[in-house]
Amino acid sequence: MQPATAKPLYIRMHADDNVAIVANRGGLHPGAEFSCGLRLVEQIPQGHKVALADIGEGEAIRRYGEIIGHAAAPITRGSWVKEALVRMPDAPSFDNLPKPNGGAIKPPPLEGYTFEGYRNSDGSVGTRNILAISTSVQCVAGTVEFALERIRKELLPKYPNVDDVVAVTHAYGCGVAINAPGAAVPIRTLQNIARNPNFGGEVMIVGLGCEKLQPELLLPEGMSADDEIMRMQDEGLTGFGEIVEDIVQMADARLKILNQRRRETCPASTLVVGMQCGGSDAFSGVTANPALGFAADLLVRAGATVMFSEVTEVRDAIHLLTPRAASQDVADALVREMSWYDRYLAGGEADRSANTTPGNKKGGLSNIVEKAMGSVIKSGTSPIAGVLAPGERVSQKGLIFAATPASDFVCGTLQLASGMTLHVFTTGRGTPYGLAAVPVIKVSTRSELKQRWHDLIDVDAGSIATGDATIEDVGWEIFRLMLDVASGRETWAEHWKLTNALALFNPGPVT
């Protein structure tokens, strides 16, 4: 905990920056003087920006060495650069973007790191051993949840090697334009969630029968509908009790198979890690995200697959990403996903500025440009090996951009579909977010959050801001914790069984 008498401190990210963020807990009062001689002319909360020089109206405001806005009015040196004073710039053009130039850092391989995982017949490796019951329509969700209570109470005790049984429920399937181009996104998302490595290849689908999304559409290629699907309308079952019993018996058959799985020593290269930030603040791009970016580079060096996402939170950094693309095709794919999302937002009469939340602003982030510059840092420095459209399954190693909305729940759902087996989530404001299908590691941007939420946060990256640890120190801590969690160690979210409902991304029309 920082004492009230601590000397005034600010954090400046780049030599060209004309603003910095106040680091002191509780902020600073007027008259506070930094070691460089800068004196505050007004009170500034922690994480909010102080002007390091006079900034004239219309002049650029720089943080991370990038223009995050232009001054809406003159800003005096030592004053608070409030949100209202930062006029957001236009989004970067897709014309004349930097081309891949091999400039991405390619460090040597990192060998010898392993974890204890569950091998699957398709070559993938899970970090948990879970039975998933997929659904083709929301109508059956209540019935499946009812059956789930029986399965957990009556069956799971018989199968000690199975971690859990989860229901993949959603609001899709009925009253949708099933042949519209946008329908491909939720359909392939559900198809690929059923194939997640943590589910061990055991597919089980409960449908109603009359829905637009027929259960067969969710089956992986080559699977038999007769063996994997139960339809409530078509089974000739009498009464609710028989319907539930049928679901329980289907689950029992699969639990017997999953119970035979055992953890084996697997190379770190078989991990598929998803990265996300939520409840972000001005420290996100200073502490937690750089440390996670360092850990991501370690994973890539070890041969693993690492996904970063959230289109609107990297859109303004597109000019920083295309030079890191492994090829021009990858650079073109980045632009494809960004421009698709621009059109999607425009169709809803919105733009990327709708992203930034009240909590983000309270934490010191003025706009989506500043937020994006801090968000993209968690991608580290590795070359970008590939790009996935929403809900596509990953098929290659290295750093991957998996296009998703920035919504925590939608992003997590889509990364789960892409094959994620472990999730790392950075937060400055704090969130109890969790997923039932994969372990979620929480990393705090500030030590104050870790102190308050000591039994919700797994890693404190705030020690970077106080100088008690380096980005490399915390990056290695995250990397080692990922291997431990992949081997079965519980995260705090798992300990408390905190899980959020899955949320499909459906850009298609509802009829």
Side-chain angles (χ1 to χ4, degrees):
M1 180 179 295
Q2 193 176 52
T5 56
K7 65 179 182 179
L9 298 171
Y10 65 66
I11 298 174
R12 186 183 193 180
M13 296 301 294
H14 192 278
D16 292 339
D17 292 352
N18 55 8
V19 298
I21 64 168
V22 170
N24 299 74
R25 182 173 185 175
L28 292 172
H29 296 289
E33 187 171 341
F34 298 95
S35 58
C36 65
L38 176 68
R39 185 184 295 269
L40 294 192
V41 300
E42 59 185 314
Q43 183 166 341
I44 303 180
Q46 183 190 34
H48 285 250
K49 291 178 288 297
V50 56
L52 302 177
D54 291 336
I55 304 173
E57 182 176 353
E59 289 185 5
I61 300 170
R62 291 183 178 273
R63 189 172 178 226
Y64 299 105
E66 299 289 333
I67 296 174
I68 64 168
H70 295 88
I75 303 173
T76 305
R77 182 175 185 265
S79 63
W80 182 4
V81 184
K82 300 177 183 177
E83 175 198 348
L85 292 173
V86 184
R87 190 169 65 241
M88 194 172 76
D90 293 335
S93 170
F94 294 130
D95 297 326
N96 301 316
L97 285 171
K99 295 186 179 298
N101 56 18
I105 298 173
K106 298 177 182 178
L110 188 65
E111 299 175 343
Y113 287 91
T114 63
F115 69 101
E116 300 300 306
Y118 293 99
R119 294 185 182 275
N120 297 314
S121 59
D122 64 359
S124 65
V125 176
T127 64
R128 296 294 184 266
N129 187 23
I130 296 171
L131 171 64
I133 303 177
S134 297
T135 60
S136 58
V137 67
Q138 175 64 22
C139 307
V140 304
T143 302
V144 171
E145 292 290 351
F146 186 94
L148 215 58
E149 290 188 24
R150 276 193 56 189
I151 294 167
R152 287 189 173 132
K153 182 179 179 181
E154 299 172 17
L155 298 185
L156 275 186
K158 295 165 45 181
Y159 303 114
N161 296 318
V162 180
D163 295 315
D164 201 1
V165 55
V166 302
V168 181
T169 59
H170 52 88
Y172 196 69
C174 182
V176 295
I178 200 70
N179 295 317
V185 174
I187 293 173
R188 70 173 171 239
T189 299
L190 289 169
Q191 287 172 335
N192 288 331
I193 285 177
R195 299 172 60 199
N196 186 277
N198 284 359
F199 300 155
E202 292 302 310
V203 177
M204 174 177 169
I205 302 169
V206 177
L208 185 61
C210 60
E211 61 268 33
K212 288 282 191 71
L213 181 63
Q214 287 292 294
E216 287 87 352
L217 291 174
L218 303 184
L219 282 175
E221 187 175 350
M223 281 199 171
S224 167
D226 293 336
D227 297 332
E228 317 297 340
I229 295 173
M230 180 269 194
R231 291 180 181 80
M232 289 179 62
Q233 291 177 343
D234 300 341
E235 294 297 322
L237 299 171
T238 303
F240 181 70
E242 282 196 11
I243 291 171
V244 171
E245 183 62 28
D246 201 49
I247 295 172
V248 171
Q249 292 306 314
M250 286 183 70
D252 190 38
R254 286 154 179 79
L255 287 168
K256 287 177 182 176
I257 297 171
L258 291 174
N259 196 55
Q260 297 172 15
R261 303 176 84 202
R262 296 293 186 274
R263 289 189 181 273
E264 304 174 44
T265 301
C266 303
S269 60
T270 55
L271 275 176
V272 182
V273 177
M275 304 185 295
Q276 190 183 169
C277 49
S280 301
D281 66 1
F283 285 93
S284 294
V286 179
T287 60
N289 287 348
L292 181 52
F294 185 88
D297 285 343
L298 294 176
L299 285 168
V300 172
R301 289 174 59 191
T305 301
V306 190
M307 295 184 289
F308 72 110
S309 298
E310 303 167 282
V311 172
T312 50
E313 295 186 16
V314 302
R315 169 67 175 85
D316 283 273
I318 183 65
H319 60 294
L320 305 177
L321 297 180
T322 53
R324 292 172 53 194
S327 68
Q328 188 58 50
D329 285 345
V330 172
D332 291 344
L334 284 167
V335 172
R336 178 196 72 208
E337 294 304 325
M338 302 291 161
S339 59
W340 183 92
Y341 212 84
D342 281 357
R343 294 192 300 274
Y344 166 74
L345 289 174
E349 299 183 8
D351 62 24
R352 74 200 199 288
S353 67
N355 172 287
T356 320
T357 69
N360 295 154
K361 295 174 182 179
K362 191 173 181 180
L365 296 173
S366 295
N367 58 33
I368 185 55
V369 184
E370 183 180 9
K371 185 178 180 182
M373 294 305 160
S375 174
V376 76
I377 294 174
K378 64 179 175 288
S379 68
T381 60
S382 301
I384 301 171
V387 176
L388 301 175
E392 285 187 337
R393 185 176 172 88
V394 72
S395 61
Q396 63 188 118
K397 305 289 187 180
L399 180 66
I400 306 295
F401 179 70
T404 75
S407 161
D408 297 347
F409 324 111
V410 180
C411 176
T413 301
L414 288 169
Q415 288 189 339
L416 188 64
S418 293
M420 168 180 71
T421 57
L422 179 68
H423 204 35
V424 185
F425 192 103
T426 65
T427 182
R429 306 294 294 170
T431 171
Y433 168 91
L435 292 171
V438 297
V440 179
I441 295 172
K442 294 279 184 44
V443 183
S444 65
T445 71
R446 299 174 298 118
S447 294
E448 298 94 316
L449 179 59
K450 171 61 176 175
Q451 290 159 5
R452 286 191 295 111
W453 285 16
H454 58 90
D455 52 2
L456 286 171
I457 299 296
D458 300 290
V459 178
D460 173 27
S463 54
I464 296 169
T466 60
D468 295 318
T470 65
I471 289 171
E472 292 80 5
D473 291 336
V474 180
W476 274 106
E477 181 183 357
I478 294 171
F479 176 74
R480 293 189 177 100
L481 180 58
M482 283 192 282
L483 296 178
D484 286 347
V485 170
S487 299
R489 175 176 169 178
E490 274 192 335
T491 64
W492 277 117
E494 288 182 298
H495 174 79
W496 299 118
K497 300 190 184 304
L498 300 177
T499 61
N500 290 95
L502 298 182
L504 292 183
F505 178 36
N506 177 27
V510 175
T511 57

